[in-house]
Structure formats: C-alpha cells, structure tokens
Amino acid sequence: MVKFEYLKETPSQTAGPYLHIGCTPNFIGNDGIYARDLGSSMVAEGAKGERIVVSGRIFDGAGATIKDAMVEIWQADADGLYNSPEEPRGDADPRFTGWGRQPVDMETGVFQFETIKPGQVPFPDGRMQAPHISLWIVARGINLGLNTRLYFADEDEANAVDPVLQRIEHKHRIQTLIAGKIDGGYALDIYLQGDNETVFFDI
Amino acid sequence: MTKALGAFYPRDRSWHPKAYTPEYKTSVLRSPQKPLVSLGSTLSETTGPVFGHSALGELDADLILNCARPGESALGERIIVHGRVLAENARPVPNVLIEVWQANAGGRYRHKKDGYLAPLDPNFGGCGRVLTDEEGYYAFRTIKPGPYPWPNGVNDWRPAHIHFSLFGSGFAQRLISQMYFEGDPHIALCPIVNTIGDPDAIDMLTAKLDMNNTIPMNARAYRFDVVLRGRRSTLFENRMEGN
Ligand SMILES: [Fe+2]
C-alpha cells in the first residue's frame, strides 16, 4: 500500500491569560523589549478608502464580558485586495496592512480597531462576497482559536447574496455576524454561547 | 491565473482539543455549543499577513538578554530551543513569524495579573520572536521556565512550558500552542495538556533534549518541530467550469 507522506498539524493549546506578554507586551506596560506591539496600527497616512472604527465585546456563556481575550482581524483593502504574497490578483494598497491585533480592554472588555472599510472579494466560484472582515479570537479557556466574520449592516444588498452567509442554514443566525452602524464606525458583540451564539466557521 | 489558489487541507478537529473540556474549567463557559459552519478556503483564508526582519529587533530571539540590564542576564537553566516548521505536506515553511512567551525560572510571569509568590527576575521579560529561514528552521535562546500553580483544581500545577504563536502564509494557518519538556511528570497530570485526546498529539508538543546541539559548558538544546496546515495542489482548480 502506498503511504503518503502527510504530517499531522501541531495541536492547539489555549493562549492562556498571559498572552499579552508575547503578543502585545507594550499594552501591559512591558515596554522596552519590542519597539511597538505588532498589529496595533493598520492604516498609514494616505491609505485609500473610508476610515472606520470597528469595536465590540466578547461574552461568555454566563453573560459576562471576557477581559483577557485577544482579537486578530484580516481584511482586504478598499479595492478588495489582500496585502499578502498569496494574493493572486494584484498589489494591494501598500499603506494598508490588512492585519490588526488588539487585546480587549482589561476593564471593559472592549476591542477596537482603526481600519478602513474593505472592498469586495470573490468567492472561489467567481461570485462576489459582501465586504467582510475575518476575525480570529483566542483567550484563556478557548482551546483552539475561533474563526468568525464581521459583515456590515449598511451592505444589505451585498449581504443578501453573499455566498458565505447563504451557507448558514438557520437564517436567524446571520445577524450574529452583522456589525451595526454606530457613530464613527461599526460595532459587533460576540457571544460564545447562548441563544445569540455567534456563527463560528470551520475554515 | 499565475498563482496557485492553495486551499488548505481541512483541519482535523478530532486531533485538536475539543472546545468543551470540563476538566479545564474555564472552557465550560467559553466553548461554542452550536456546530461550526463549514466554510473551507476563500481568498480571505488563503491569504495572510507576512512579516519581514525589519519588524524584529536585534535581541528578539534571545530572551536571556532582551530584557537584561547591561552586563547581566536572566536567571535559570540556559537553553536553546530550535526546530523546523513544516506544513502537513512535509514541506518547510519559510518566513513564519514565531512569537514565544513564558514564565521565569521560578514560574512567575511578568504580567500584572500574575500574583504567584515566586519573585520576578529583573533581567527577564519572558517574550521573544524569530522568523523561520528559507528551510523552515528557527532557534531562540532562553531559560527553562518553572512550573507554576494555577486555579483550576485545588492543587493543579502547569508543567514547564513555552507558549508559541505562529503565522504561516495564510490566515487559516494561524496557530497558538504550548511547548512542553520531555520527561516532565506534570505533563500527564495537566488538565490543559489533557484537553488533547491522542497521546501522539501530546508527544508533538513535547520538546526533546538534543545533546548534539547542546553547547558544552554553555546551554542545553531542546528540539521542537511544528507542523502548520498544508495547502492543496491546485490540480484542475484554476479553471472555471465551461472554460
Ligand atoms: Fe503559561
């Protein structure tokens, strides 16, 4: 029998409560080791597109806000291009990294990103996806990072035909991914459990 | 199309720890209960951020010195942790940003929320980072962290460990895990380690003493390889139907 040479992926373990030490040391006052926290700034002067602030909180199954989580986001630029060598369609705006990382506030549990509104990106079959931001959430008690997406409440038309949202069988759950418009940007609360449990993806 | 689409192999979620692992109590209220929606790879997942050497500082891969006062160094057993980052298809992954963090030799973290009575080491910050080279190899120097107690069971102690965070070339490869040390009796007792079901998977997280790369009279070496998700070959995949 042919034996294929495939390896198993290294198994995940929780990021634990002290993830800031390695990922955002300046945020907890461990400054002087890294010049700045990676991912703390996504947008450089002159970047194309509409500047927005995306914020939210993360709730556990008892309805409490989580105070020790970290959120990473990954998104396209205003023209729908990713700032990545794996982007096959052209060069993204060099003034926009597309990747951000923020710990939640240790008192309020709020995470906040200063970013730009992403453009549209095609699905593998060529249909357009609605503008969206990919989220990756880690924390103490989360054994494997959670993948979800943020869509925009003022993109009704695009959301209605988005191939990913269409894949969600229970239509009432789609609203768990739609960030509401607030002053200066968009807000989305994430629920790990309960009636409003956020849709998480196997990507 | 000039570039491979490179969708990822599906993640084997029975190999990873489950979300709900009641022996690790914090997971009980932080584990999604509804099934994940299967999405697979779109461009949003196959692309990802990359980091160059310009993002890193000179001493980032040397935790013995990167927080130490001039002429001093961190206290503890001096070790070199090294290894290779491969993808599931056994190919090396270059340019992986690896971020590590750990407790000091006494088991205390430099973190405002850590109140363990073991003292801080003024010369140890506990964070480091390194990029893999073209062949996927990496190395950093540190001190061996101490085990520490944590509130879960009434007398739970974490095995000595180093936290690892890795970026591949696609956002779907993003991974955080922990590295343990061969021979530590706390590994078998730890509720966090035991969120993983398969002993072979736990063995993947256990670094092995490497006497060949140990520097005599200086620092012992531990070898720790990491495997990130692999990408499919794009056979037939770049052609639209009907074209
Ligand atoms: Fe730890």
Side-chain angles (χ1 to χ4, degrees):
Chain A
M1 209 176 108
V2 178
K3 194 161 180 292
F4 294 111
E5 196 192 356
Y6 288 118
L7 306 172
K8 296 299 288 183
E9 187 187 5
T10 294
S12 173
Q13 292 270 265
T14 180
Y18 306 129
L19 77 182
H20 312 97
I21 297 172
C23 299
T24 60
N26 295 290
F27 171 79
I28 51 163
N30 290 5
D31 37 335
I33 307 174
Y34 300 159
R36 61 187 182 86
D37 291 338
L38 278 186
S40 56
S41 164
M42 303 173 68
V43 189
E45 200 53 45
K48 273 191 282 185
E50 180 194 349
R51 291 203 181 214
I52 59 172
V53 176
V54 168
S55 60
R57 295 166 294 176
I58 305 167
F59 291 89
D60 71 14
T65 50
I66 293 182
K67 309 276 186 16
D68 52 12
M70 182 175 82
V71 182
E72 288 185 9
I73 66 172
W74 175 240
Q75 63 165 91
D77 69 7
D79 292 328
L81 292 168
Y82 283 100
N83 193 340
S84 165
E86 300 297 323
E87 169 60 81
R89 298 167 299 151
D91 291 333
D93 182 353
R95 295 178 192 84
F96 180 64
T97 68
W99 177 74
R101 174 156 78 181
Q102 293 289 345
V104 302
D105 185 279
M106 290 166 91
E107 308 297 326
T108 64
V110 172
F111 63 83
Q112 185 167 301
F113 293 90
E114 291 176 23
T115 183
I116 57 140
K117 185 107 177 270
Q120 289 191 270
V121 178
F123 199 61
D125 65 7
R127 284 182 289 166
M128 285 313 258
Q129 304 183 66
H132 65 273
I133 296 177
S134 299
L135 277 74
W136 187 66
I137 299 166
V138 292
R140 176 174 68 100
I142 295 177
N143 290 325
L144 174 60
L146 300 171
N147 292 103
T148 185
R149 284 185 171 198
L150 178 152
Y151 288 80
F152 298 91
D154 52 4
E155 297 283 348
D156 275 345
E157 260 176 59
N159 292 341
V161 294
D162 179 84
V164 173
L165 295 179
Q166 282 180 347
R167 204 170 266 210
I168 297 168
E169 182 184 348
H170 301 94
K171 297 301 171 202
H172 70 277
R173 298 194 66 207
I174 290 174
Q175 53 83 22
T176 67
L177 303 181
I178 313 274
K181 187 105 180 71
I182 59 167
D183 208 23
Y186 299 85
L188 180 69
D189 285 337
I190 289 161
Y191 295 87
L192 299 185
Q193 298 180 352
D195 290 342
N196 288 323
E197 183 178 312
T198 297
V199 170
F200 296 102
F201 293 101
D202 190 5
I203 66 171
Chain B
M1 191 160 294
T2 54
K3 187 126 190 183
L5 288 169
F8 288 99
Y9 308 156
R11 201 164 223 168
D12 181 352
R13 287 178 179 271
S14 64
W15 175 258
H16 285 283
K18 299 268 185 293
Y20 176 78
T21 48
E23 304 299 313
Y24 173 26
K25 293 179 182 177
T26 315
S27 75
V28 170
L29 290 172
R30 295 185 172 195
S31 42
Q33 295 168 329
K34 295 183 167 51
L36 301 178
V37 172
S38 297
L39 171 54
S41 297
T42 76
L43 276 166
S44 312
E45 288 72 36
T46 57
T47 58
V50 290
F51 304 91
H53 287 276
S54 62
L56 274 58
E58 224 171 285
L59 289 176
D60 283 7
D62 190 351
L63 287 74
I64 289 181
L65 292 182
N66 70 9
C67 189
R69 295 182 284 225
E72 300 185 13
S73 62
L75 278 175
E77 300 175 30
R78 298 159 61 87
I79 58 170
I80 293 160
V81 177
H82 75 110
R84 201 172 192 196
V85 179
L86 301 166
E88 288 167 293
N89 51 25
R91 294 199 189 111
V93 192
N95 265 315
V96 171
L97 175 66
I98 301 175
E99 299 166 305
V100 297
W101 65 100
Q102 63 169 87
N104 68 22
R108 173 80 183 271
Y109 281 101
R110 184 173 289 278
H111 193 288
K112 52 178 124 180
K113 299 282 182 190
D114 186 3
Y116 182 35
L117 52 78
L120 284 171
D121 175 354
N123 290 312
F124 188 69
C127 65
R129 52 191 181 183
V130 62
L131 286 168
T132 60
D133 67 16
E134 282 308 304
E135 298 295 312
Y137 289 103
Y138 76 91
F140 62 91
R141 189 169 79 153
T142 186
I143 53 91
K144 192 176 177 194
Y148 59 83
W150 61 298
N152 184 65
V154 292
N155 191 21
D156 280 337
W157 292 70
R158 294 302 322 282
H161 62 278
I162 299 177
H163 296 266
F164 269 67
S165 155
L166 300 102
F167 293 81
S169 54
F171 200 54
Q173 285 173 303
R174 199 72 184 85
L175 181 69
I176 281 182
S177 193
Q178 301 183 27
M179 183 201 101
Y180 304 104
F181 293 85
E182 179 181 24
D184 187 338
H186 287 290
I187 294 173
L189 302 174
C190 178
I192 288 179
V193 173
N194 289 326
T195 60
I196 300 172
D198 190 322
D200 289 341
I202 294 172
D203 189 59
M204 271 188 94
L205 296 183
T206 309
K208 308 297 188 291
L209 179 65
D210 175 4
M211 286 306 290
N212 284 347
N213 279 297
T214 287
I215 306 172
M217 310 303 284
N218 186 333
R220 290 182 302 154
Y222 278 87
R223 168 95 187 201
F224 183 59
D225 293 344
V226 179
V227 179
L228 299 178
R229 296 176 68 179
R231 289 176 189 267
R232 277 206 309 267
S233 310
T234 54
L235 315 169
F236 298 97
E237 203 164 7
N238 290 345
R239 291 170 225 161
M240 301 287 272
E241 292 303 314
N243 288 355

